[in-house]
Amino acid sequence: MKNIGAVILLIGAVSIALAGEMTGLEKQAEKEIEPVEDLMRLGIDYHHKGVEGNKEAVKKAEKIFKDVLALNPDHVEALAWYGSILTMKGRDAIFPISKLMHVHRGTKKMDEAIEKSPDNVTVRMVRVGNSLGLPEFFGRLDLAISDSEYLLKLKERDATSVPDELLPQIYLNLGLAHKKKQNKEQAEKYLKKVIEIAPESKEAEVAKKLLL
C-alpha cells in the first residue's frame, strides 16, 4: 500500500503547496481558533504530507478533519478527505487486520460523501485519486473510472461545473485506471487525450511516460 498517494498528489486543483514543517496557517492556529475554511486548508496540507509517507502528518490531518466534522457534520469535502486519511492509516498500520479495517472505514467515508453530494467535484476527485492509489485487490478501479466519467458528463451538462484546468487530470486518471486494468486501447486513448489538450502540462509528462 506504499503507492496509495501517488495519484492523489497529481490532483493539482485540490493540492496546496507546503512551506516547511510549520505552515503559516499552523502558526496562526496557535494564536486563535481558525474558521472551518482555514482548518480545511491545513488538513489538506497535512494530507499531502501524509501521502508522501509522513505518519505524524496523517495523525494531524485526521484530528483536523474530525474537528471540522464535529463543527459541521454535513461538510462532505471534510468527510472525503477524512476517508482518504483513514486509508493512509491502513497503509501505516502494523497488523494486517488493522490495515484492512482502516481502509474499509476510509472507503466507506468517501462513498458516503459521494452519496451525500454526487456532483461535488472535489469529493469525486479525492475518491478517484484514492481508488487509483489503493492496491487492486480492494476493487476500487472501476470506481475511479465511473467517477471520472461522471465528471466528464457533468462538464457536458454544465461547462462551469468542472474547471477546465481539471480536464487533463481527469483524462490522466482514466488512462491510469484503464492501464491498471490492462485495457490497452482505452488507456492509450485517454493518455493521448491528455497530451492533445494540455501538451505542456505535468499531466502530459506523466501520460507520455505511461505511453512508452
Side-chain angles (χ1 to χ4, degrees), residues 80-99:
W81 287 111
Y82 177 51
S84 182
I85 280 292
L86 288 177
T87 66
M88 287 186 216
K89 284 187 71 176
R91 174 199 66 192
D92 298 336
I94 296 173
F95 301 107
I97 188 65
S98 297
K99 289 178 178 289

Side-chain angles (χ1 to χ4, degrees), residues 14-180:
V14 292
S15 296
I16 296 176
L18 299 175
E21 192 67 27
M22 285 281 284
T23 66
L25 283 171
E26 186 175 9
K27 290 175 183 176
Q28 189 178 351
E30 292 178 346
K31 300 177 182 178
E32 59 182 331
I33 297 174
E34 293 298 324
V36 166
E37 252 185 55
D38 286 346
L39 283 174
M40 285 297 294
R41 291 190 190 99
L42 184 57
I44 295 168
D45 277 351
Y46 283 131
H47 176 281
H48 289 303
K49 275 194 167 183
V51 164
E52 295 171 344
N54 188 322
K55 296 180 183 180
E56 191 60 31
V58 170
K59 294 176 185 176
K60 290 181 179 180
E62 180 185 15
K63 182 182 184 306
I64 288 171
F65 292 128
K66 285 173 76 173
D67 287 346
V68 171
L69 290 167
L71 292 168
N72 183 356
D74 296 323
H75 200 303
V76 292
E77 292 181 12
L79 185 61
W81 287 111
Y82 177 51
S84 182
I85 280 292
L86 288 177
T87 66
M88 287 186 216
K89 284 187 71 176
R91 174 199 66 192
D92 298 336
I94 296 173
F95 301 107
I97 188 65
S98 297
K99 289 178 178 289
L100 292 172
M101 285 176 62
H102 285 309
V103 172
H104 180 66
R105 282 185 63 216
T107 54
K108 279 189 70 175
K109 296 292 184 187
M110 286 182 282
D111 295 347
E112 182 184 341
I114 293 286
E115 289 172 11
K116 288 184 174 181
S117 186
D119 291 350
N120 187 298
V121 175
T122 296
V123 170
R124 291 273 178 186
M125 291 295 285
V126 170
R127 189 167 76 166
V128 169
N130 192 274
S131 297
L132 286 170
L134 284 171
E136 291 182 42
F137 66 78
F138 284 106
R140 305 286 287 185
L141 280 178
D142 286 337
L143 274 179
I145 293 171
S146 62
D147 280 341
S148 299
E149 290 175 343
Y150 187 97
L151 288 170
L152 292 177
K153 290 176 183 175
L154 192 62
K155 178 74 170 174
E156 287 178 8
R157 295 199 305 267
D158 178 6
T160 63
S161 61
V162 180
D164 290 341
E165 56 266 28
L166 268 188
L167 289 176
Q169 182 63 58
I170 293 171
Y171 284 117
L172 178 60
N173 290 339
L174 281 165
L176 282 165
H178 281 292
K179 188 175 181 68
K180 282 174 176 274

